[in-house]
Amino acid sequence: MERRMNEAEFVDGFADALKNGDLFICLQPQINHNTKRMVGAEALLRWKHSVFGMQYPNDFIPVLERNNLILQADLFVFRKVCEFIRKCMDAHKTIVPISVNMSRYDIYNNDYVESIEEIRKEYGIPVKYLRVEITESSTIGGLELIQNVVNRLHEYGYLVEMDDFGSGYSSLNILKDLEVDIIKLDMRFLEGEIGGRGGIIISSVVQMAKWLKTVIIAEGVEEMEQADYMKSIGCFYIQGYLYSKPVPVPEFEIKMEETNHEPLKPAMKLLEAMDSEKFWDPDTLETLIFSNFVGGAAIFTYHKSGQQLDVLRVNEKYLKELGMNQSEEDVIHNDPWWGFGDDAKRVYIKTIEKAIESKEEECCETWRNISSRCCGDDKICINTDMRVIGNADEEYLIYAMIRNITPEKRRYDLLMQNDTKLMKAADHANVYAWEYTVATKEMRPCFRCMRDLGLPALVENYPEPVIESGLFPPDYADLYRDWHKKVEEGVEKLEGVIPLTVGRIPFHVRYTTEFDENGKPVKAYGSATMVVNSEE
Ligand code: C2E
Ligand code: CA
Ligand code: CA
């Protein structure tokens, strides 16, 4: 008859249960939500009574604690974990580190740390395969006791995890007093919506942990939505039913073999240039700016070796720039290379790597083919300015600002086509032609100009360099400068005879200005033809 056992039954049955296998361990994987690789596991005690069936730790652990049996139970778990790791080592299997729970009552027992050390040595297990979880409630008996335990664990090389962080026993300040290596945040302690108040608390814990460079594992994660939320605030490690329940050792062994492994990495290290942490906190000015004041913006991670890209956050304007009916969720879940052709992808990756290299803002233009059921097919050109704002090992955190420049691009292409024709024509006639861009003061000469006058393909800060070179004589310099001012002011046409080159050969020089749809001057097309008969 299956039922919950009472206190006396637990206490009386404990010694037998240890021996006859009613007490055993289950292991629950910890997974990197980004890469789906396993980063560790937690050992949890199980009690399956032959008659009364499965008993719950929340029932029997407090009983064992009250009756001074918990140290024995915890050491039993530790031994079972070592036994398992030994078996894997002997079989030359790759092993993930396994965490054990240390009851706060173990703290009062001076022998705990020495005892686990003895067992570890007995099995010859490298300490890197073992971690110890303590809870916030461990500080109830006084900070010094637990500090002493943590220090000794660290001396021996164990990583220490703070279990059930935020369950309420102490303030966030505990992180400053206790040097734990890993923080476990239990999603089940969250009240209400993850985007709401709970979300704000969690993201400030994540932020704080990053300041302290502590790894965070989100525990009790059952829904994809929760895991994605944690990822969006920069926490990738997940332990919960979403990936796996705690499973018996043989089952875990199979899982461990089938899944790839990787080590835990601390939160991203900051570049000094920019405080990226602030982007994760919904309360900061930075987030306000991110969501309201900047243009289209996204934050993504880039994994260098796999050239893998993961979008973490995009703002409203980002979605508008893309012009498709998508939500932030859609963008985060969709293939990040959605709409990219091979060329565009190559350009984009090259720009990311340039930004990693230079630590500066880098820019690229990429065409994307986008199609959706509601909006049909479209081809858009996106200008992206990106900058690295954080990194850890091979992984980079990148802030990208985007602008949809399709209309500008289309107009430019059209001009380019006309321009090319013009330049070709100029080459056949006895004409020198060039194009002047008002906004940038850039001049692009025709091939003939380049050949005959030795001009480069692009002249910046026009017309100063050609005045300086003597191509334009000094006595005409101010007149010619004035022309460019007039073009800027919106004069449609200019012409005159100017003696050019050191030989002061008279040329008929003409300018025609081109305007955008708002009547603003964009370009001016210049031409110069030799005055043969000195007609003017
Ligand atoms: P804990 O250390 O916080 O362990 C995590 C608990 O959350 C486990 O419950 C696990 O089964 C459960 N859990 C994991 N993922 C999910 C999820 O997605 N959803 C939900 N609803 N639950 C999830 P379990 O095994 O019942 O253990 C309860 C508690 O008992 C543990 O909480 C720990 O405080 C204690 N305990 C378990 N084993 C030991 C042990 O060997 N020694 C000591 N001292 N305490 C232990
Ligand atoms: Ca635990
Ligand atoms: Ca926990």
Side-chain angles (χ1 to χ4, degrees):
M1 179 209 30
E2 303 219 341
R3 65 161 171 86
R4 284 165 79 175
M5 287 158 63
N6 61 36
E7 179 141 357
E9 286 165 337
F10 281 135
V11 175
D12 294 343
F14 179 68
D16 276 346
L18 276 183
K19 278 184 231 121
N20 66 19
D22 282 2
L23 276 165
F24 61 98
I25 61 165
C26 277
L27 294 165
Q28 185 176 30
Q30 299 165 333
I31 305 286
N32 180 338
H33 185 51
N34 259 350
T35 62
K36 314 294 179 212
R37 296 201 181 113
M38 211 189 275
V39 293
E42 178 178 2
L44 293 153
L45 190 55
R46 293 289 175 262
W47 190 327
K48 193 172 184 207
H49 193 272
S50 50
V51 180
F52 305 134
M54 195 59 118
Q55 304 299 312
Y56 290 93
N58 287 338
D59 287 339
F60 64 80
I61 295 284
V63 171
L64 299 180
E65 287 179 334
R66 275 197 293 277
N67 292 278
N68 231 347
L69 296 168
I70 193 68
L71 179 67
Q72 238 180 302
D74 283 348
L75 294 180
F76 169 81
V77 170
F78 191 86
R79 180 173 287 278
K80 288 289 162 195
V81 167
C82 287
E83 207 173 85
F84 169 62
I85 296 174
R86 181 74 254 166
K87 194 179 147 220
C88 296
M89 284 171 69
D90 291 344
H92 305 288
K93 288 179 178 167
T94 41
I95 298 154
V96 293
I98 296 178
S99 308
V100 297
N101 288 283
M102 176 186 185
S103 160
R104 71 183 176 96
Y105 291 86
D106 294 333
I107 297 162
Y108 306 125
N109 194 309
N110 263 327
D111 287 344
Y112 177 82
V113 179
E114 308 309 323
S115 306
I116 62 168
E117 261 302 273
E118 235 165 70
I119 300 170
R120 182 180 74 79
K121 285 190 189 129
E122 184 186 325
Y123 286 89
I125 309 294
V127 72
K128 65 174 180 189
Y129 292 140
L130 296 159
R131 303 186 196 133
V132 177
E133 294 191 5
I134 61 171
T135 65
E136 278 183 279
S137 62
S138 306
T139 56
I140 290 172
L143 200 58
E144 260 166 52
L145 268 179
I146 182 68
Q147 273 172 335
N148 182 270
V149 171
V150 171
N151 288 344
R152 272 191 296 147
L153 285 170
H154 276 161
E155 266 166 42
Y156 288 122
Y158 292 89
L159 288 189
V160 179
E161 297 178 33
M162 172 63 74
D163 201 359
D164 298 346
F165 187 77
S167 60
Y169 277 102
S170 55
S171 70
L172 294 179
N173 282 328
I174 197 174
L175 293 182
K176 295 211 177 74
D177 299 325
L178 276 183
E179 284 189 20
V180 296
D181 308 285
I182 295 164
I183 292 170
K184 296 186 79 176
L185 279 177
D186 200 315
M187 301 306 282
R188 287 166 295 170
F189 296 142
L190 263 190
E191 277 166 37
E193 284 291 292
I194 49 173
R197 239 186 80 74
I200 292 172
I201 293 166
I202 286 225
S203 62
S204 38
V205 170
V206 171
Q207 183 182 353
M208 183 149 171
K210 284 183 176 177
W211 285 337
L212 298 165
K213 306 266 185 292
T214 314
V215 175
I216 304 159
I217 298 175
E219 202 182 6
V221 175
E222 297 180 1
E223 311 283 344
M224 188 56 87
E225 192 199 3
Q226 293 171 315
D228 287 338
Y229 174 75
M230 292 311 289
K231 179 173 148 176
S232 82
I233 58 172
C235 167
F236 309 113
Y237 303 122
I238 300 292
Q239 178 187 344
Y241 295 171
L242 174 66
Y243 281 110
S244 169
K245 293 200 168 190
V247 294
V249 170
E251 204 176 310
F252 179 79
E253 202 176 335
I254 296 167
K255 269 187 199 290
M256 192 167 76
E257 248 180 316
E258 285 173 348
T259 319
N260 287 323
H261 308 160
E262 67 178 39
L264 281 170
K265 272 183 301 182
M268 291 216 172
K269 247 198 298 182
L270 286 186
L271 287 187
E272 269 158 46
M274 205 164 175
D275 192 352
S276 70
E277 303 298 343
K278 291 188 177 155
F279 280 110
W280 310 124
D281 186 341
D283 276 349
T284 59
L285 189 61
E286 278 76 1
T287 295
L288 195 71
I289 290 169
F290 179 70
S291 18
N292 298 297
F293 295 114
V294 299
I299 295 174
F300 60 85
T301 58
Y302 175 73
H303 209 280
K304 208 168 177 188
S305 58
Q307 300 194 329
Q308 195 196 329
L309 195 147
D310 273 297
V311 181
L312 303 182
R313 286 188 76 175
V314 298
N315 66 7
E316 279 294 319
K317 289 193 187 127
Y318 180 96
L319 302 170
K320 280 219 189 84
E321 289 291 315
L322 282 184
M324 286 278 152
N325 218 344
Q326 291 194 87
S327 68
E328 179 174 20
E329 288 285 292
D330 293 338
V331 173
I332 289 171
H333 293 308
N334 280 341
D335 174 10
W337 298 114
W338 182 64
F340 278 82
D342 285 347
D343 281 343
K345 186 171 168 180
R346 211 172 305 122
V347 168
Y348 206 78
I349 287 179
K350 221 172 124 192
T351 312
I352 294 173
E353 305 208 317
K354 221 162 108 194
I356 290 171
E357 189 82 11
S358 70
K359 300 191 175 70
E360 304 273 324
E361 194 164 293
E362 299 292 347
C363 168
C364 67
E365 289 174 5
T366 43
W367 284 93
R368 324 245 176 113
N369 291 303
I370 51 176
S371 59
S372 71
R373 241 173 281 143
C374 58
C375 310
D377 291 339
D378 206 357
K379 210 166 174 290
I380 56 171
C381 187
I382 299 292
N383 180 92
T384 313
D385 291 299
M386 50 179 107
R387 177 192 272 277
V388 175
I389 55 174
N391 93 295
D393 291 340
E394 288 268 88
E395 192 147 51
Y396 292 84
L397 192 64
I398 290 166
Y399 183 70
M401 281 162 290
I402 68 156
R403 211 155 45 85
N404 187 335
I405 55 166
T406 317
E408 286 152 78
K409 219 41 204 173
R410 291 245 158 86
R411 206 167 39 231
Y412 181 77
D413 282 353
L414 208 69
L415 279 179
M416 271 301 276
Q417 280 168 17
N418 292 342
D419 189 46
T420 318
K421 277 183 214 143
L422 175 82
M423 301 271 178
K424 282 216 180 95
D427 213 33
H428 295 307
N430 246 339
V431 180
Y432 294 102
W434 65 97
E435 180 201 275
Y436 173 71
T437 308
V438 177
T440 56
K441 290 194 183 342
E442 283 169 352
M443 181 272 230
R444 296 192 310 116
C446 67
F447 179 67
R448 180 188 285 268
C449 292
M450 289 157 66
R451 187 190 57 200
D452 294 359
L453 309 172
L455 290 176
L458 181 100
V459 183
E460 286 175 48
N461 195 29
Y462 194 73
E464 294 310 320
V466 291
I467 292 169
E468 215 167 282
S469 72
L471 199 62
F472 265 90
D475 44 336
Y476 280 83
D478 280 340
L479 173 128
Y480 197 52
R481 285 191 185 108
D482 196 48
W483 276 26
H484 287 84
K485 234 180 261 147
K486 283 187 175 143
V487 165
E488 220 171 292
E489 285 160 12
V491 170
E492 272 175 58
K493 276 193 165 53
L494 288 160
E495 56 179 305
V497 174
I498 302 176
L500 295 182
T501 74
V502 277
R504 294 181 71 91
I505 302 163
F507 272 83
H508 198 148
V509 184
R510 292 183 182 87
Y511 252 130
T512 310
T513 314
E514 195 189 62
F515 302 88
D516 69 8
E517 67 258 17
N518 302 315
K520 229 178 98 193
V522 185
K523 299 227 155 135
Y525 295 95
S527 68
T529 43
M530 221 189 291
V531 179
V532 189
N533 297 321
S534 199
E535 74 235 340
E536 252 111 323

